Every structure is written in structure tokens, then in C-alpha cells.
Amino acid sequence: MRFPRTMISAGAAIVSLALVLAGCGSSGGDDNDSSGDTGTGTLKLWHYESANGAMGKAWDKAIEVFKTEHPGVTVQFERKAFEQIQQNASMILASDQAPDLMEYNKGNATAGLLSSKGLLTDLSDEVAKRGWDKVLSPSLQTTARYDDKGVMGSGNWFGVPNYGEYVMVYYNKALFKQYGVAVPKTLDEMTAAMDTFVAKKVTPLGMAGAEYPAGQLYYQLALSKADRSFVDNYQLYKGSVDFKADPLKYGADTFRDWVQKGYISKQSASLKAEDMGTAFIAGKTPMIVSGSWWYGRFATEIKKFDWGTFLFPGNKLNAGSSGNLWVVPEQSKNKKLAYDFIDITMRPEIQTIMANNGGVPVKADLAKVTDPKNKELIANFDAITKADGLAFYPDWPVPGYYDVLVAGGQSLINGSKNPDQVLADLGKAYDQGVKEIKNG
Amino acid sequence: MTRGKAGYWWYLLPGAVAFTAVVAVPFGTNLYLSLTKWSGIGDPRWIGFDNYTRLLHDDVFWTSFRNTAAMVIAMVVVPTLIGLVLSATLFDVIGRRFGPKTASFLRATFYLPQVLPVVVAGILWGWLLRPDGAVNAVGKAIGLGEHDWLGDPKTALPMVMLVMIWVQIGYPVVIFMAALQRVDPDLYEAAEIDGAGWFRRFQAITLPQIRPETFVITLTCTIAALKVFGPIWALTRGGPNHATTVPSYFAYNAFFNKLQVGYGAAVATALTLVIVAVSIGFLKLQGRTES
């Protein structure tokens, strides 16, 4: 009697995962937009920004404005968890339970995949009509447009971003002052600064090998030797990518070199991004290389010392992109209301709320941004976008590449593989992924 | 007689319906998906046995099964052996000298890690083992220096095994102590009168008497080890560099991160077949031993 029951429970546990996924059939669905009259109806809106974050605060205000301008419309807002949307979006969007408007991750493996399966509304006409394309610079538009295979950078609009993000260097001004280190303007000055800290037995650069920071630093280093055509080849498959040559070889070699020189702790392979961030907040780390998503939190939580940011020294290209997208599910019943809401979030008054709370809006009124640090954050982003300097993220090109990069970063930190071996692993997974995307 | 037997078949109907709905249909679906290429959206594309061919050539898949063997050692072999010695000591030595209440209290302390959700246990051990955690603090204090226990491929798997031994020990202790309570004390008394020492009594009476429980523990723990997921997810996410990847995490990764649902289903099917084969092997062995 024990055998069947045990076997059953074990089998059921494993296969139930597949059953859940199997439940989502084909997309289908008709386009029954009942919102010809925006005076009545319901706008079902989902996003996953925290209530006290820059985007959360700005979009709360946008909901207020929307209600004022659409007095007969009920707004059904639900705050979702990032993972909830990430793992269930395909099932939700294929069902009649889909919201009218949703925040969703940008990139080939997320918005691109869903658009190629017909689950997202083509927003091209609306974008042109409402002028959203005039607000967004070409590099910000990259993540909003997808071709029929779901590859970003060209084709129709399937999402609209209204904020940006980029990778920079956060530094502890107090520690810089204590050790007599000036803010570096070139990569050589950066290494000289790190040498100073190492000489004083201080590990200069916070790191977290178990999550994205290692991959982003490797990419930032590679970008210091890269140009736009490399980014286009790597991210948009416009040409071949050689993992045995610079810039990627420079990225991996330099990363390992920095570990060996003590710029990065050899004990950081198992640490998570949160560990790196909290160590910086605690004043233990002179510098971290990470994204603007930390900015608001640092502004709120760091009270005991002064801190600042600077762009990765010498880089014309930086990891970064538009923020996540507003997408309108194909199953949305009130598309017109959804477009109206997106339009409100693009207005300067909403964008300025974002700016004043440590966000990186795409169209803020800088004269109304009160904090000089916030102004600097936005000005740096503007400088990057104007110079066409957003290079997206290293894990974007193929689905599942994040794990490959994490494994590579950990190997570079703990020395279990040399840079050439890591690059061979990265290249193999990249080539296989690109082949699968191209073959559909 | 025949009519009587036929009448009982109706009682099996609810179970058969539940089995079909909860096991047979999902398993059939999983099997079907494992023969397709599917991102989780749209219609699956039939590709025959390609996913299985790919599995056979996937180094990570074989690594995951090698790691599973390590988990069997950590979750079955070591805890069962330690549990056997601990329960016999608690029952035969502590219980006799200090009373059953003391033995029960100690049994409860060994069982405590089993009460903790395994993910919570994983997070707690993650804190202890992190570079600036308590384990390194102690290591530094006694002059052993620091080590990134979960970040080094040489130590990550042994550390996960250590955590699982800690989690698992309480289970065999509790089952074995319950088993020991049903052993007839007269047997021990007679053996003692005949001059048998503790180890002789343990070998000749305890072990044969608790054999059914040993089978139960071994079988259930082996299945738990084969499909272990929670502690891996909480402690290492399969890293560093796949040093702690197990089949269930491998399948999860294929399903949700790589959007390779067909491939993930093939991994899940392979794992299910291994579990079924191991279970059948165990039950046959048990049947032969008992007969």
C-alpha cells in the first residue's frame, strides 16, 4: 500500500508544475474594446512598484488625476509582486482575467516573447497619435519596439516606458575623504583609487556574485572597450559576437584581475545584491557599481555619512535602458482608458513627482526638482541618452542567460575557472540561445 | 463469493477518480510536453524525443544527478545511521538511567529542525555560512581564517549536505524510538541473562526488530532526497557554477527562467522515472527481506 501512495505524491509534486503551465492554452481572444466612451467603465490596472518608491508615488498621483478626468470610471488597481507577474504573465494575458493595463518587464524574453505570441496590443498608432515617440529618445524606444520574432529594437510598439535606469558608481564620500581619494574621472584613476584603499586594507568595491552585480561589472568593463556596433551585435543580433576577443575578453580578464588585486573580495561569490547594498548602506564599502534602482533607497536609509554617484569612469556606453513598460494586453476590454492612463503618466507633473523621489523620469521639469543630487542623477541619465549611450544589460540577449552570467561571475570571483573558460561558457550559451530565437 | 468481491469495487471508484485527476492526467500532460518544444505560450510544437537526446548530452543534467547522489548520502545514509545510534542510545541508555522524560525531551530537540520550514532553515544556515557570518567569525577567532563556504564550488555541496543532515536527523530518531518501544522487553531481558552486551543486543535484537521502520525511513528519505528543492533554492540557487544543482531545481530553471517548458518537462519525467524505479526496487527488496 505504501508504494503507490508514495509514488503518487512524489510524481504529483513534480508534474503539477507542468500541469499549471499546461493550463494556459492558446492566446486567441477577440478585441472587444468597450471603451469608446471614456466616461464610464472600469480600468483594471496592475503594477509591481512599491508604494513608497519613486514610480509608486508618481503612479498613485496618476491614478488620482485619471479619476478626476474620468469621473464615471472605476479604477481597479492591484499591486502585484514582481515574481508573480514574471512567472504568470503568459497565463494571465491569455485568459479573460487579464487587466486593461499592466507594468511588464522589457526585453526579448519577456515583453518580446509575449508580443510575438499575440498577447500584447500593438500600440504603434496610439504612440504616433499621442506623441509618446517624441518624448522617448531612440535608445529608450529600443525596449518598447519588437519585431515579429519578439526581438527588440525594431518593429511595432508593444510597450511604453516612462522612466529610465542606468548603472553608475555609488561612493561613500566619508571614506573617500578619510583615505584621501578623489572622485576618479578615468579608469586609470579608478584603479589608482582602488589601490589606495587596498593599501589601507579596505576592499574598495562591494560585490555580490550570486546575483546580477558581477555580470553588470563585467559588462561595464567590456563596454569601456566597446562601440555601438558591438551592442547592436550582442543585444540585437545584427552581427556575430566573438567571446574570445575584446571587448568581452577585456571585461572578463579585467574582472578577474580586479579580484586578484583585492579590489573585489574573493569571499563575495555567495553574496546577493541585497548584501552588497546593505554593506554600502552600513558604510562598510567605499564603492559599488550598480543601478539607479538603489538610489531612492540609499537616499532614505543612509543617514550617517554623505554619499554620491558618478558615471563609470571613461565609459561612453553604460548598462541601462528604459524602465519597465506599460503594456496593454490584447484581451483588454478598455484599451482607450489604458491609453489615457499611459498618457497621464507621461505628463511632466507626474514625471516630476518621480524625479523628486529618486526616480529617473523621461520627461521631468528639472526646474521643479528640488534635491541637487536628484538633479545630478537625472542629468547623468539625460547625458547618456543624448549620447546614445544606453547599452542595456548583459543577460538580456537570450532567455535564461542571467543564470549563465551569475555562474560565470561566481567562477571569476572564486577562481574556479579562468576568464577564457568563463567566456567559452558564456559564448556557448549565447550562441545556443540566439540560434533558438532565430529559428523560432 | 465472486458477487461479494465485485461489490467492493465501487469503494475504489473515488480513489481511481482522484488518481486520474491528480496523477494520471498531469503525468500524461507532462509526458506529452516533454516531447514538444514550448515556451509556455501558444501551441507546443511536437519534436519527438529531441528533449531526451539533448538531456543525455547536457553536462548540467548529469551534474544534477551526481549532486542528487550526494543528497541521498546527506538525507538518507548519514541521518539513518546517526538516527539509529542516537535512538538506541536514548532508549537503552538515557531512558534507563535518566528516565523516559529525559529521553523524550532529547528526542524533541533532535526533531526540532524538522518542524522548521526547510526554506527558513536554509535561510538561517545561509546567514551562518555567509562570508561575514557566525561560522567565519568562529573560524577567525580560533585562527582558521575565513572562507566563502557557499561561494566555493569545493565547499558549497558539502555545506548543503551538512545542513540537510542537520535537518533530517530528527526524523529517523523519532521513528526508531517509536519502533523500539514496540520491541518486547523480554527479548532484551533474556539476552542480558544470557550475557549479551549492549552491542550484541543491538545487533541481534534491535536491528532485526525495527527493520520495517528502517525500510520506511530509507524509502521516504530517498524520495525526499531525489526531489529536494527548497534548501537548494534558499541556500545556493544551484550555484556556484552548478555545484549544487539538483534535477528539481534544473527543471524549475528550465520552466520559469529559460522558458523551455518542454525541456523542463523532460527533466521532470526523467526524475519521476528514477523515483518510481527506486521505489519499486526498495519495495521488492523489502518484500523479499520480510518473506
Side-chain angles (χ1 to χ4, degrees):
Chain A
M1 281 301 281
R2 265 197 314 271
F3 163 59
R5 275 211 302 269
T6 315
M7 186 188 78
I8 286 162
S9 52
I14 296 157
V15 296
S16 58
L17 195 65
L19 180 68
V20 169
L21 286 162
C24 89
S26 58
S27 50
D30 53 355
D31 181 7
N32 50 353
D33 188 350
S34 65
S35 60
D37 173 16
T38 56
T40 57
T42 300
L43 174 70
K44 200 170 160 187
L45 164 68
W46 294 359
H47 74 67
Y48 44 76
E49 300 295 336
S50 63
N52 54 1
M55 273 63 76
K57 284 179 182 171
W59 295 347
D60 277 352
K61 180 66 181 174
I63 292 173
E64 270 180 42
V65 173
F66 181 88
K67 283 178 176 170
T68 310
E69 293 179 3
H70 300 75
V73 175
T74 307
V75 179
Q76 272 183 12
F77 165 60
E78 289 178 44
R79 193 183 310 281
K80 300 289 182 182
F82 174 84
E83 295 287 339
Q84 205 178 355
I85 298 288
Q86 173 79 358
Q87 295 182 354
N88 301 309
S90 58
M91 280 181 282
I92 293 162
L93 297 187
S95 76
D96 60 359
Q97 301 301 309
D100 300 305
L101 180 63
M102 187 172 95
E103 181 187 11
Y104 194 51
N105 304 358
K106 68 276 179 188
N108 295 347
T110 47
L113 179 66
L114 262 56
S115 68
S116 70
K117 302 292 178 186
L119 295 177
L120 301 181
T121 304
D122 178 358
L123 303 172
S124 304
D125 291 344
E126 208 64 30
V127 168
K129 195 171 109 190
R130 304 208 183 218
W132 296 331
D133 51 346
K134 308 281 186 305
V135 179
L136 299 165
S137 66
S139 53
L140 289 175
Q141 291 183 19
T142 303
T143 52
R145 301 172 66 184
Y146 297 90
D147 66 16
D148 57 350
K149 287 194 183 299
V151 177
M152 66 180 184
S154 63
N156 296 335
W157 289 69
F158 287 96
V160 180
N162 65 10
Y163 67 97
E165 54 186 47
Y166 65 103
V167 171
M168 68 196 93
V169 185
Y170 292 89
Y171 73 108
N172 181 323
K173 287 185 178 177
L175 288 176
F176 268 53
K177 195 177 170 191
Q178 185 183 341
Y179 293 102
V181 176
V183 173
K185 291 188 174 58
T186 64
L187 202 53
D188 286 342
E189 285 181 17
M190 176 93 166
T191 53
M194 291 195 289
D195 282 331
T196 306
F197 282 113
V198 170
K200 303 285 182 187
K201 298 197 184 313
V202 176
T203 306
L205 207 53
M207 184 42 66
E211 287 181 354
Y212 62 82
Q216 289 189 354
L217 178 61
Y218 145 77
Y219 191 55
Q220 283 291 119
L221 289 166
L223 290 173
S224 71
K225 301 281 179 196
D227 56 16
R228 178 52 63 181
S229 71
F230 163 78
V231 177
D232 286 348
N233 294 344
Y234 181 76
Q235 300 279 2
L236 308 175
Y237 328 131
K238 288 187 177 172
S240 61
V241 178
D242 188 352
F243 281 78
K244 291 177 186 158
D246 290 344
L248 294 176
K249 183 164 171 52
Y250 177 80
D253 284 344
T254 309
F255 189 106
R256 180 63 194 153
D257 188 43
W258 282 19
V259 174
Q260 284 170 334
K261 285 182 174 165
Y263 301 165
I264 295 166
S265 169
K266 288 175 184 165
Q267 314 288 327
S268 59
S270 66
L271 294 180
K272 301 205 165 72
E274 177 70 10
D275 300 323
M276 182 184 78
T278 49
F280 185 76
I281 290 168
K284 294 176 184 170
T285 315
M287 286 179 275
I288 62 168
V289 176
S290 199
S292 47
W293 47 89
W294 287 105
Y295 193 91
R297 183 166 169 199
F298 288 168
T300 310
E301 294 186 19
I302 298 177
K303 303 286 183 201
K304 290 184 180 169
F305 60 90
D306 199 8
W307 60 280
T309 63
F310 55 88
L311 289 174
F312 197 78
N315 271 33
K316 286 180 184 158
L317 291 164
N318 288 279
S321 74
S322 79
N324 289 320
L325 306 170
W326 286 123
V327 296
V328 179
E330 190 56 46
Q331 300 275 31
S332 165
K333 295 175 181 66
N334 295 294
K335 290 181 181 174
K336 177 76 168 49
L337 294 178
Y339 305 148
D340 286 354
F341 186 85
I342 295 172
D343 204 51
I344 292 170
T345 66
M346 301 296 272
R347 289 179 190 169
E349 59 175 294
I350 303 299
Q351 296 270 302
T352 305
I353 293 172
M354 207 182 275
N356 276 321
N357 286 283
V360 185
V362 293
K363 191 190 173 186
D365 182 354
L366 276 181
K368 289 185 180 166
V369 180
T370 48
D371 188 323
K373 232 186 238 176
N374 290 6
K375 269 189 182 174
E376 189 188 17
L377 174 82
I378 298 159
N380 278 339
F381 183 70
D382 286 346
I384 293 173
T385 51
K386 275 178 189 148
D388 190 23
L390 287 178
F392 318 117
Y393 295 98
D395 59 311
W396 275 16
V398 294
Y401 205 50
Y402 177 85
D403 277 1
V404 183
L405 267 172
V406 166
Q410 286 186 309
S411 299
L412 289 174
I413 293 171
N414 61 35
S416 58
K417 287 188 178 180
N418 65 41
D420 288 345
Q421 290 169 317
V422 168
L423 287 166
D425 291 346
L426 294 177
K428 189 180 164 193
Y430 177 89
D431 291 341
Q432 192 184 330
V434 171
K435 197 173 141 194
E436 283 186 14
I437 288 172
K438 284 185 173 173
N439 292 338
Chain B
M1 194 66 184
T2 312
R3 276 182 62 196
K5 266 189 181 174
Y8 287 114
W9 281 102
W10 291 105
Y11 291 98
L12 297 178
L13 196 60
V17 170
F19 178 82
T20 307
V22 178
V23 181
V25 172
F27 185 71
T29 310
N30 190 67
L31 205 57
Y32 163 69
L33 287 175
S34 74
L35 301 171
T36 67
K37 185 177 171 65
W38 193 39
S39 62
I41 306 167
D43 298 324
R45 181 158 58 85
W46 181 267
I47 55 167
F49 287 95
D50 284 6
N51 283 328
Y52 292 94
T53 312
R54 186 177 153 194
L55 261 190
L56 295 176
H57 296 95
D58 191 331
D59 292 343
V60 181
F61 175 71
W62 292 112
T63 302
S64 75
F65 268 98
R66 272 197 298 278
N67 292 340
T68 299
M71 297 313 289
V72 170
I73 293 169
M75 293 176 68
V76 187
V77 180
V78 177
T80 307
L81 290 175
I82 295 176
L84 201 57
V85 174
L86 276 177
S87 55
T89 310
L90 286 177
F91 185 78
D92 218 18
V93 181
I94 307 287
R96 282 190 187 184
R97 286 196 189 170
F98 303 99
K101 277 189 181 171
T102 310
S104 296
F105 173 76
L106 290 173
R107 181 184 59 188
T109 59
F110 285 120
Y111 194 71
L112 209 57
Q114 284 275 309
V115 177
L116 276 180
V118 76
V119 173
V120 175
I123 292 169
L124 284 174
W125 274 97
W127 287 343
L128 293 175
L129 293 168
R130 46 181 286 153
D132 57 354
V135 172
N136 272 345
V138 173
K140 254 170 93 175
I142 59 173
L144 289 176
E146 290 178 322
H147 190 74
D148 190 1
W149 299 101
L150 296 172
D152 181 343
K154 292 192 190 95
T155 53
L157 187 61
M159 286 303 118
V160 173
M161 289 171 72
L162 205 66
V163 173
M164 291 321 294
I165 291 169
W166 177 80
V167 169
Q168 284 290 101
I169 277 178
Y171 177 60
V173 168
V174 168
I175 303 279
F176 281 138
M177 282 194 75
L180 289 169
Q181 276 161 357
R182 66 165 176 75
V183 179
D184 187 350
D186 291 346
L187 289 172
Y188 287 114
E189 208 176 317
E192 266 188 277
I193 291 166
D194 289 343
W198 181 84
F199 186 70
R200 186 80 187 105
R201 292 201 304 274
F202 177 74
Q203 203 181 19
I205 300 170
T206 309
L207 282 182
Q209 289 289 318
I210 63 170
R211 190 174 287 142
E213 284 80 3
T214 311
F215 267 111
V216 169
I217 289 168
T218 316
L219 179 63
T220 52
C221 290
T222 303
I223 290 169
L226 289 172
K227 63 189 180 71
V228 67
F229 177 84
I232 299 295
W233 190 86
L235 278 166
T236 60
R237 308 267 163 106
N241 203 21
H242 304 299
T244 58
T245 297
V246 290
S248 56
Y249 187 82
F250 187 42
Y252 165 85
N253 208 24
F255 274 124
F256 291 113
N257 292 331
K258 297 188 173 180
L259 304 173
Q260 297 170 347
V261 177
Y263 193 52
V267 179
T269 304
L271 180 59
T272 307
L273 293 177
V274 170
I275 291 173
V276 171
V278 168
S279 304
I280 291 171
F282 261 107
L283 289 162
K284 282 199 166 171
L285 184 66
Q286 184 183 14
R288 216 166 41 224
T289 312
E290 283 175 356
S291 65

